[in-house]
Structure formats: structure tokens, C-alpha cells
Amino acid sequence: MPSEPLACDRLWTNARLATMSPRIDAPYGAVEDGVVAARDGRIVYAGPRSEAPVFDAAISTDCGGRWITPGLIDCHTHLVYGGDRAHEFELRLQGASYEDIARAGGGILSTVKATRAASEDELFAGADRRLSALIAEGVTTVEIKSGYGLEQQTELKQLSVARRIGRERPVRVRTTFLGAHAVPPEFKGRSGAYAELVAGPMLDAVAEQGLADAVDVFCEGIAFSAKETKQVFAAAKAKGLAIKIHAEQLSNLGGSALAAGMGALSADHLEYLDEPGVIAMAKAGTVAVVLPGAFYFLRETQKPPIKLMRRHGVAIALATDANPGSSPLTSPLLVMNMACTLFRLTPEEALAGLTRHAATALGLQNEIGTLEAGKACDLAIWDIERPAELSYRIGFNPLHARIWNGQ
Ligand code: DI6
Ligand code: FE
């Protein structure tokens, strides 16, 4: 006796799937003649048509052979900020370095000034424009950091704007408190005293208001020492918050190994990471988030140790690092291209970096990042012949449709 058709809300047929599932033993976890079914915003089936149950769908879409990938995940952004830094771009073209500008009170601190002065609505409007660019290229989840307030009120303001984006726009938002992004002018030369404030009253207020999912620190010569980083992380963990780190971007302070040892979800940037750091990350399951936009824009020449990461089995994620100073970039597709051309990732690694591994970098590996039953139905449908095209083209957007939470 044939079984009853299964009711679902939406069905996508005649599609090729890049499931990115490690359980499917083909490049991209690919399924040639695939079907995706969703109910209540969740995937109930993603796989070959030949093995699919019979579905009774409210809405059925013939994909015409297009490719479906998981919705893209931008796991490291600073999307909410005031002003811009186009003038510093001009200064750098006249010879000033990123660090010169930072030490002269520009850089991050100039964005801090503009962010403190901006209203919540102004911050929302600016971030919303940048978000729209991400969404247009298939992003369904975005992480947003604070870090341009460097005092309690503005840090809370940035995080509430980030939360508001998650309420008002069709995108999943994870927020990260980056109070330890730079030493504010009020604490010039007293980074330790400021780190104490971040680890104490500022973190208390952020946690109390439930405004952050994770806590991040910029561990660097121009920012915070390993000791200060450890102090902030210890306080974050005591509050049950996940930790992430900006590390080994301009020099090697051992931040990644420190963060991995404390159970960090990810360590990000990593151009100056050494083998002991890679091994510590592998041991802890800490994801390496590489940010080719910042590498490119700062004209860095030292590359992150991709071969060592592969050799030791560290998962590699990619992100835009969208920010006004080091990566004014809001194109995940360009990030994939840059990761391949600059860091020699394969197109398959690049797509995994913006899907499966980006999910793990946010602690959301059971929720998103692959096309698998039980996960949220976040899809990107592309007008392409093969998934490598997503990394191959420059400045061309083949997105056909984007589905968030089954909608
Ligand atoms: N590293 C970066 O690349 C960004 N933050 C960080 O810690 C740069 C932020 C900026 O320059 O505004
Ligand atoms: Fe960053």
C-alpha cells in the first residue's frame, strides 16, 4: 500500500544541491537531482529525489536545475558604526600605515567618535544599507560586533541596534561584545585599567540586558595584551558567554592558543599564527576565521598558515570583517574569490567557509550551515552551472532567490 503523502509548507524540486554535509561523500556534499522540503521553517528533507518521500506541499517550486546551497553565513562583521574612513584610505595611499594612523588617534578611534555621536536610528540606517548588500548575495545569518563605543552606553547602543536588525530584517543575527577592541582616548596608556572596566561593569551590563551571545577581544600590540585578554575571557565565561578572538593579525602574541585553551569558538585573522597555535586550535576545535578582505585592504603580505590548518584539521571559515577601517567590504562572493586567489583555498573550501564552518564559528552547527533535515531552512538558490562559479567570478552576483527560515 503506498504511504500517505507527507504534508509540508514548501518544496523545491529539480535542483542540484550543494548540501555541504560531511555525511555525503561527494565534493560539496552534492546531490544532482535533488529536492528540499520545509515545514515550520525547518528542513524536513534535503537529498536525492529518488529517495524522497512523496510530499504534499502548499507551495512547490521547480528550480530548473539551479544549484541550492545553504544560506551564506557572515560570521565576523562590524556592521554597526558611525561615519566612514575614506579619508584615511587617502592617507594610506600617501604612505601612512594602518598602525601609524591608529597611533596618531585616527583609525578605530575616529570611528569611535562618530559612533558615540550617532543616534540609534542613524546607526541602524547605516548598518541596514550594508546588510542589504550582504542579503543580496545570499546571506541569511550575520554576526555583528560592538567595539566602536569603548564606553558602556555606546557599546550597549551598538548591541541594541544589532539586536534590532535581527528583529526587523529577514536575517538571523548573533551579537558579540567587543568592548576590548581598542583603548579609548580616556584611558590612553592605561589599557589594563580599561580591560578591568570591560571585564567588570561593562560586561555586567551587557550580560544583564542579554545583548550579547559572545565576547571578543582584539589581542594585539596596538590593542590588548594576552594577560588583559585572558581577564576579559574569564569574566565572559563566568557569565556563560562564548568567546572569540581577533588574534595574530599584525603580530604573534599567542592569542589564538590562549583563546583555544579557554574553549573559544573561533580565532580570527591569523596571518601571524604559528604551528603551536594551529595545534592548540585543532585540539580545542576552535575554528580559524580568515578574513581576506582585511588582508587585501591593508596590503598585508604575510598569509595565514592555511596548509598547517589543513594538516592539523582546523576548520577554516571565511567572513567579510565588514568594517570602516580595515575591510570596507560587504560582498561574501568577493570574499570567496579572494580566499581562493590570495590564500589558495579551493572553491569547495571557500563555500564551506561561508556555510558549515561559519556556523561552527558561531556555535550554530546544529542549527544552520548545511542542507540537512532538522536545520533551519535557510537557502541560497543560484543561477550557476557548478558551485565553483561562486568563487570564480569577480563582481557578478548569480543569486536567483534567497530563503530565510523557509520564507
Ligand atoms: N581588526 C580589524 O581588522 C578591525 N578590527 C580589528 O580588531 C579593524 C577595525 C577598524 O579599523 O575600524
Ligand atoms: Fe574584525
Side-chain angles (χ1 to χ4, degrees):
M1 204 177 87
S3 54
E4 291 271 303
L6 278 178
C8 66
D9 303 323
R10 296 202 61 175
L11 186 65
W12 291 270
T13 60
N14 191 17
R16 288 178 281 180
L17 313 181
T19 67
M20 304 314 285
S21 164
R23 278 167 279 277
I24 295 184
D25 189 24
Y28 301 93
V31 171
E32 274 300 322
D33 184 3
V35 167
V36 179
R39 192 169 56 221
D40 299 329
R42 303 242 146 216
I43 297 174
V44 292
Y45 179 83
R49 179 169 62 101
S50 58
E51 292 168 26
V54 178
F55 286 106
D56 177 16
I59 305 173
S60 182
T61 308
D62 182 326
C63 294
R66 291 185 181 87
W67 279 89
I68 305 184
T69 69
L72 302 186
I73 301 166
D74 196 350
C75 69
H76 178 143
T77 85
H78 310 249
L79 218 56
V80 175
Y81 59 81
D84 71 77
R85 304 245 287 280
H87 179 57
E88 288 179 10
F89 180 55
E90 294 181 310
L91 291 178
R92 285 205 296 118
L93 285 165
Q94 288 158 23
S97 76
Y98 181 71
E99 282 157 298
D100 290 340
I101 291 170
R103 290 190 202 282
I108 293 178
L109 293 186
S110 76
T111 300
V112 167
K113 217 168 160 185
T115 305
R116 287 179 180 179
S119 70
E120 284 206 13
D121 284 342
E122 285 164 349
L123 291 179
F124 182 88
D128 192 44
R129 288 175 66 199
R130 296 183 278 273
L131 176 73
S132 296
L134 299 179
I135 283 178
E137 291 189 8
V139 168
T140 47
T141 297
V142 62
E143 183 258 16
I144 303 177
K145 301 176 195 295
S146 67
Y148 289 120
L150 310 184
E151 48 87 19
Q152 185 166 314
Q153 196 200 330
T154 311
E155 288 290 314
L156 294 175
K157 178 170 72 175
Q158 274 192 280
L159 291 169
S160 350
V161 168
R163 285 280 197 237
R164 179 177 157 199
I165 292 171
R167 286 192 306 273
E168 296 187 12
R169 299 300 313 273
V171 70
R172 188 173 288 97
V173 171
R174 298 299 272 186
T175 59
T176 301
F177 172 52
L178 178 56
H181 190 195
V183 181
E186 299 80 4
F187 284 81
K188 194 163 184 207
R190 296 185 297 130
S191 63
Y194 178 65
E196 263 175 42
L197 195 66
V198 171
M202 287 170 73
L203 189 58
D204 286 347
V206 167
E208 209 160 281
Q209 299 184 32
L211 284 175
D213 303 304
V215 172
D216 193 341
V217 174
F218 187 19
C219 182
E220 190 56 66
I222 55 168
F224 298 91
S225 68
K227 183 165 162 251
E228 290 154 356
T229 302
K230 191 170 172 183
Q231 184 186 5
V232 174
F233 284 167
K237 287 182 65 172
K239 303 231 175 262
L241 293 168
I243 58 174
K244 304 172 81 65
I245 189 166
H246 279 71
E248 276 71 78
Q249 180 184 8
L250 309 167
S251 63
N252 182 359
L253 299 189
S256 304
L258 166 78
M262 296 181 80
L265 288 176
S266 73
D268 304 30
H269 286 290
L270 306 178
E271 281 83 344
Y272 291 81
L273 182 64
D274 57 14
E275 189 160 19
V278 175
I279 291 170
M281 290 175 65
K283 209 168 134 201
T286 299
V287 176
V289 180
V290 299
L291 304 166
F295 172 90
Y296 164 83
F297 195 68
L298 297 181
R299 305 181 73 234
E300 180 58 66
T301 49
Q302 167 117 355
K303 296 181 185 182
I306 300 294
K307 282 185 186 152
L308 286 176
M309 291 170 186
R310 285 188 190 122
R311 189 180 310 149
H312 293 287
V314 173
I316 303 170
L318 300 176
T320 60
D321 194 16
N323 78 67
S326 68
S327 186
L329 168 63
T330 48
S331 168
L333 293 172
L334 185 52
V335 168
M336 288 172 69
N337 176 269
M338 285 179 173
C340 295
T341 52
L342 301 174
F343 297 163
R344 311 313 284 165
L345 263 68
T346 66
E348 184 183 1
E349 286 175 320
L351 185 55
L354 277 169
T355 55
R356 182 154 71 91
H357 299 317
T360 307
L362 297 177
L364 294 176
Q365 60 276 13
N366 296 325
E367 190 62 18
I368 52 174
T370 61
L371 304 180
E372 288 179 291
K375 290 198 174 176
C377 184
D378 291 359
L379 316 177
I381 306 179
W382 307 95
D383 236 325
I384 52 176
E385 275 307 314
R386 49 184 60 78
E389 281 180 54
L390 299 177
S391 295
Y392 155 71
R393 292 184 200 282
I394 303 172
F396 181 79
N397 180 4
L399 188 73
H400 171 74
R402 170 190 169 280
I403 310 294
W404 178 69
N405 260 336
Q407 312 269 329

